DNA sequence: ATGTGTGCAAATTGTTTGCATCACG
DNA sequence: CGTGATGCAAACAATTTGCACACAT
């Protein structure tokens, strides 16, 4: 069941901006910042105020449609949350993002989280793991 | 050899603000934001402009004295980089930070980085791993 | 003395808020 | 028609920049 239907069932309106943003996230090859979403909207000849974009990002996040990822130091980025939990490498020069197959360590991380839960008494533990480096292109320069 | 001496040998000046900031990072129990550093300076009766603090943070980072850690969505945080590579849990409610003994997965991460280097041709790969949850205190509320 | 480091004010960037208006269902 | 969604302007917070001046070496 697609997120459009989900949102409708939850009693939310399917506005032009909302549909477009969902579509933009579906088409995106990687995480998007608020700015990137606005550019995407402009490409579709849609004039959507940045306030609306920020509010919609917040909304979609609360509805668990998108998830925030900590890739940039200066702006927040979001991606569709359906995709199974994964990790990425970010080029520190050109910001290119490539997915990493980190399944091997997922189980190790899970065990670690259980350990933390026991020893530190923290609850609802999640993790954030990203890799940074220089892509082949930028490493040449 | 302490960082003061290192900086001197590299031909940098040891100003009051610089000494104080190094000391503040040494005394700190965890990562500090620019704001936290300013507060620390005020406690020492030192009036240091925020511009200077930001420039000094940038400088110390370039000199590899401190390292940026991605713990907050809204501000950058830094900690001394000498401490061997480690990870932490951040309480999503009160921001409390606790270190995590993640040595068990360090080797797994290293192997993964090598894999990324081979397959994606990224170079100089580093990683950032943090855990988020609710501390015992906040979980009660 | 001289060039690195500093202060101040103002600009920038990313994000949030108040309030009036609009339009989806 | 009524409430959730939107636009606009303005506020905010963190960080950055230009330029004149100061101080460590």
């Amino acid at each position: 069941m697609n997120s459009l239907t989900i949102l409708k069932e939850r009693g939310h309106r399917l506005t032009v901006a909302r549909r477009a943003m969902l579509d933009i996230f579906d088409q995106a090859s990687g995480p998007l910042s608020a700015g990137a979403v606005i550019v995407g909207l402009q490409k579709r000849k849609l004039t959507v105020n940045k306030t609306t974009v920020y509010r919609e990002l917040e909304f979609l996040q609360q509805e668990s449609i998108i998830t925030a990822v900590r890739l940039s130091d200066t702006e927040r980025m979001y991606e569709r949350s359906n995709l199974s939990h994964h990790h990425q490498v970010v080029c520190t020069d050109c910001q290119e993002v490539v997915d990493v197959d980190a399944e091997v360590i997922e189980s190790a991380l899970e065990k670690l989280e259980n350990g933390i839960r026991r020893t530190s008494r923290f609850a609802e533990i999640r993790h954030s793991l990203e890799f940074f480096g220089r892509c082949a292109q930028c490493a040449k320069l």
Side-chain angles (χ1 to χ4, degrees), chain A residues 47-61:
Chain A
T47 314
V48 179
N49 193 275
K50 66 174 181 236
T51 302
T52 305
V53 171
Y54 279 109
R55 282 198 275 238
E56 191 64 22
L57 286 172
E58 181 62 27
F59 169 80
L60 292 176
Q61 213 182 347

PDB file of all heavy atoms in Angstrom, chain A residues 47-61:
ATOM      1  N   THR A  47       4.880  26.219  -7.390  1.00  0.00           N
ATOM      2  CA  THR A  47       5.377  27.235  -6.489  1.00  0.00           C
ATOM      3  C   THR A  47       4.893  26.888  -5.086  1.00  0.00           C
ATOM      4  O   THR A  47       3.715  27.056  -4.768  1.00  0.00           O
ATOM      5  CB  THR A  47       4.842  28.627  -6.883  1.00  0.00           C
ATOM      6  OG1 THR A  47       4.983  28.775  -8.294  1.00  0.00           O
ATOM      7  CG2 THR A  47       5.616  29.701  -6.158  1.00  0.00           C
ATOM      8  N   VAL A  48       5.807  26.359  -4.272  1.00  0.00           N
ATOM      9  CA  VAL A  48       5.444  25.998  -2.909  1.00  0.00           C
ATOM     10  C   VAL A  48       6.356  26.759  -1.962  1.00  0.00           C
ATOM     11  O   VAL A  48       7.569  26.738  -2.111  1.00  0.00           O
ATOM     12  CB  VAL A  48       5.603  24.481  -2.662  1.00  0.00           C
ATOM     13  CG1 VAL A  48       5.242  24.141  -1.232  1.00  0.00           C
ATOM     14  CG2 VAL A  48       4.724  23.702  -3.634  1.00  0.00           C
ATOM     15  N   ASN A  49       5.771  27.422  -1.020  1.00  0.00           N
ATOM     16  CA  ASN A  49       6.537  28.226  -0.079  1.00  0.00           C
ATOM     17  C   ASN A  49       7.435  27.341   0.781  1.00  0.00           C
ATOM     18  O   ASN A  49       7.070  26.226   1.138  1.00  0.00           O
ATOM     19  CB  ASN A  49       5.574  29.009   0.803  1.00  0.00           C
ATOM     20  CG  ASN A  49       6.302  30.079   1.579  1.00  0.00           C
ATOM     21  OD1 ASN A  49       6.842  29.811   2.638  1.00  0.00           O
ATOM     22  ND2 ASN A  49       6.349  31.269   1.028  1.00  0.00           N
ATOM     23  N   LYS A  50       8.593  27.865   1.118  1.00  0.00           N
ATOM     24  CA  LYS A  50       9.529  27.075   1.900  1.00  0.00           C
ATOM     25  C   LYS A  50       8.946  26.682   3.252  1.00  0.00           C
ATOM     26  O   LYS A  50       9.203  25.607   3.773  1.00  0.00           O
ATOM     27  CB  LYS A  50      10.863  27.803   2.079  1.00  0.00           C
ATOM     28  CG  LYS A  50      10.767  29.054   2.893  1.00  0.00           C
ATOM     29  CD  LYS A  50      12.155  29.651   3.158  1.00  0.00           C
ATOM     30  CE  LYS A  50      12.025  30.895   4.010  1.00  0.00           C
ATOM     31  NZ  LYS A  50      12.619  32.096   3.454  1.00  0.00           N
ATOM     32  N   THR A  51       8.129  27.549   3.822  1.00  0.00           N
ATOM     33  CA  THR A  51       7.486  27.226   5.099  1.00  0.00           C
ATOM     34  C   THR A  51       6.684  25.942   4.959  1.00  0.00           C
ATOM     35  O   THR A  51       6.731  25.054   5.813  1.00  0.00           O
ATOM     36  CB  THR A  51       6.533  28.360   5.518  1.00  0.00           C
ATOM     37  OG1 THR A  51       7.268  29.570   5.618  1.00  0.00           O
ATOM     38  CG2 THR A  51       5.887  28.048   6.849  1.00  0.00           C
ATOM     39  N   THR A  52       5.953  25.842   3.882  1.00  0.00           N
ATOM     40  CA  THR A  52       5.144  24.655   3.623  1.00  0.00           C
ATOM     41  C   THR A  52       6.037  23.433   3.492  1.00  0.00           C
ATOM     42  O   THR A  52       5.725  22.362   4.030  1.00  0.00           O
ATOM     43  CB  THR A  52       4.350  24.836   2.312  1.00  0.00           C
ATOM     44  OG1 THR A  52       3.585  26.035   2.414  1.00  0.00           O
ATOM     45  CG2 THR A  52       3.431  23.661   2.075  1.00  0.00           C
ATOM     46  N   VAL A  53       7.150  23.592   2.808  1.00  0.00           N
ATOM     47  CA  VAL A  53       8.071  22.470   2.635  1.00  0.00           C
ATOM     48  C   VAL A  53       8.576  21.998   3.996  1.00  0.00           C
ATOM     49  O   VAL A  53       8.546  20.804   4.299  1.00  0.00           O
ATOM     50  CB  VAL A  53       9.262  22.870   1.744  1.00  0.00           C
ATOM     51  CG1 VAL A  53      10.326  21.780   1.740  1.00  0.00           C
ATOM     52  CG2 VAL A  53       8.777  23.134   0.322  1.00  0.00           C
ATOM     53  N   TYR A  54       9.003  22.918   4.842  1.00  0.00           N
ATOM     54  CA  TYR A  54       9.495  22.535   6.165  1.00  0.00           C
ATOM     55  C   TYR A  54       8.401  21.858   6.982  1.00  0.00           C
ATOM     56  O   TYR A  54       8.632  20.857   7.639  1.00  0.00           O
ATOM     57  CB  TYR A  54      10.025  23.766   6.920  1.00  0.00           C
ATOM     58  CG  TYR A  54      11.427  24.136   6.504  1.00  0.00           C
ATOM     59  CD1 TYR A  54      11.681  25.279   5.759  1.00  0.00           C
ATOM     60  CD2 TYR A  54      12.504  23.308   6.845  1.00  0.00           C
ATOM     61  CE1 TYR A  54      12.977  25.612   5.376  1.00  0.00           C
ATOM     62  CE2 TYR A  54      13.794  23.636   6.467  1.00  0.00           C
ATOM     63  CZ  TYR A  54      14.017  24.785   5.728  1.00  0.00           C
ATOM     64  OH  TYR A  54      15.296  25.104   5.350  1.00  0.00           O
ATOM     65  N   ARG A  55       7.187  22.426   6.925  1.00  0.00           N
ATOM     66  CA  ARG A  55       6.100  21.826   7.694  1.00  0.00           C
ATOM     67  C   ARG A  55       5.751  20.445   7.164  1.00  0.00           C
ATOM     68  O   ARG A  55       5.462  19.516   7.925  1.00  0.00           O
ATOM     69  CB  ARG A  55       4.880  22.757   7.656  1.00  0.00           C
ATOM     70  CG  ARG A  55       5.024  23.923   8.621  1.00  0.00           C
ATOM     71  CD  ARG A  55       3.692  24.579   8.923  1.00  0.00           C
ATOM     72  NE  ARG A  55       3.336  25.568   7.914  1.00  0.00           N
ATOM     73  CZ  ARG A  55       3.097  26.856   8.181  1.00  0.00           C
ATOM     74  NH1 ARG A  55       3.180  27.309   9.418  1.00  0.00           N
ATOM     75  NH2 ARG A  55       2.766  27.694   7.241  1.00  0.00           N
ATOM     76  N   GLU A  56       5.819  20.312   5.868  1.00  0.00           N
ATOM     77  CA  GLU A  56       5.488  19.023   5.259  1.00  0.00           C
ATOM     78  C   GLU A  56       6.550  17.980   5.598  1.00  0.00           C
ATOM     79  O   GLU A  56       6.237  16.819   5.853  1.00  0.00           O
ATOM     80  CB  GLU A  56       5.358  19.182   3.743  1.00  0.00           C
ATOM     81  CG  GLU A  56       4.765  17.969   3.052  1.00  0.00           C
ATOM     82  CD  GLU A  56       3.327  17.683   3.486  1.00  0.00           C
ATOM     83  OE1 GLU A  56       2.646  18.609   3.977  1.00  0.00           O
ATOM     84  OE2 GLU A  56       2.899  16.522   3.351  1.00  0.00           O
ATOM     85  N   LEU A  57       7.813  18.401   5.629  1.00  0.00           N
ATOM     86  CA  LEU A  57       8.893  17.477   5.993  1.00  0.00           C
ATOM     87  C   LEU A  57       8.667  16.984   7.418  1.00  0.00           C
ATOM     88  O   LEU A  57       8.798  15.795   7.718  1.00  0.00           O
ATOM     89  CB  LEU A  57      10.257  18.168   5.880  1.00  0.00           C
ATOM     90  CG  LEU A  57      10.775  18.414   4.460  1.00  0.00           C
ATOM     91  CD1 LEU A  57      12.026  19.273   4.484  1.00  0.00           C
ATOM     92  CD2 LEU A  57      11.055  17.094   3.757  1.00  0.00           C
ATOM     93  N   GLU A  58       8.309  17.897   8.290  1.00  0.00           N
ATOM     94  CA  GLU A  58       8.021  17.556   9.679  1.00  0.00           C
ATOM     95  C   GLU A  58       6.848  16.585   9.744  1.00  0.00           C
ATOM     96  O   GLU A  58       6.891  15.566  10.439  1.00  0.00           O
ATOM     97  CB  GLU A  58       7.681  18.840  10.446  1.00  0.00           C
ATOM     98  CG  GLU A  58       7.372  18.632  11.925  1.00  0.00           C
ATOM     99  CD  GLU A  58       8.556  18.059  12.677  1.00  0.00           C
ATOM    100  OE1 GLU A  58       9.693  18.294  12.236  1.00  0.00           O
ATOM    101  OE2 GLU A  58       8.321  17.371  13.696  1.00  0.00           O
ATOM    102  N   PHE A  59       5.814  16.886   8.983  1.00  0.00           N
ATOM    103  CA  PHE A  59       4.616  16.062   8.936  1.00  0.00           C
ATOM    104  C   PHE A  59       4.920  14.649   8.422  1.00  0.00           C
ATOM    105  O   PHE A  59       4.564  13.653   9.062  1.00  0.00           O
ATOM    106  CB  PHE A  59       3.574  16.739   8.038  1.00  0.00           C
ATOM    107  CG  PHE A  59       2.400  15.872   7.709  1.00  0.00           C
ATOM    108  CD1 PHE A  59       1.360  15.708   8.614  1.00  0.00           C
ATOM    109  CD2 PHE A  59       2.336  15.211   6.484  1.00  0.00           C
ATOM    110  CE1 PHE A  59       0.272  14.894   8.307  1.00  0.00           C
ATOM    111  CE2 PHE A  59       1.252  14.398   6.169  1.00  0.00           C
ATOM    112  CZ  PHE A  59       0.226  14.233   7.088  1.00  0.00           C
ATOM    113  N   LEU A  60       5.597  14.568   7.305  1.00  0.00           N
ATOM    114  CA  LEU A  60       5.910  13.258   6.716  1.00  0.00           C
ATOM    115  C   LEU A  60       6.793  12.433   7.644  1.00  0.00           C
ATOM    116  O   LEU A  60       6.728  11.205   7.677  1.00  0.00           O
ATOM    117  CB  LEU A  60       6.589  13.436   5.359  1.00  0.00           C
ATOM    118  CG  LEU A  60       5.715  14.020   4.250  1.00  0.00           C
ATOM    119  CD1 LEU A  60       6.523  14.239   2.976  1.00  0.00           C
ATOM    120  CD2 LEU A  60       4.525  13.107   3.977  1.00  0.00           C
ATOM    121  N   GLN A  61       7.600  13.133   8.417  1.00  0.00           N
ATOM    122  CA  GLN A  61       8.463  12.455   9.359  1.00  0.00           C
ATOM    123  C   GLN A  61       7.621  11.852  10.489  1.00  0.00           C
ATOM    124  O   GLN A  61       7.830  10.714  10.893  1.00  0.00           O
ATOM    125  CB  GLN A  61       9.465  13.457   9.925  1.00  0.00           C
ATOM    126  CG  GLN A  61      10.812  12.856  10.232  1.00  0.00           C
ATOM    127  CD  GLN A  61      11.747  13.888  10.846  1.00  0.00           C
ATOM    128  OE1 GLN A  61      11.475  15.084  10.817  1.00  0.00           O
ATOM    129  NE2 GLN A  61      12.836  13.433  11.411  1.00  0.00           N
TER     130      GLN A  61
END
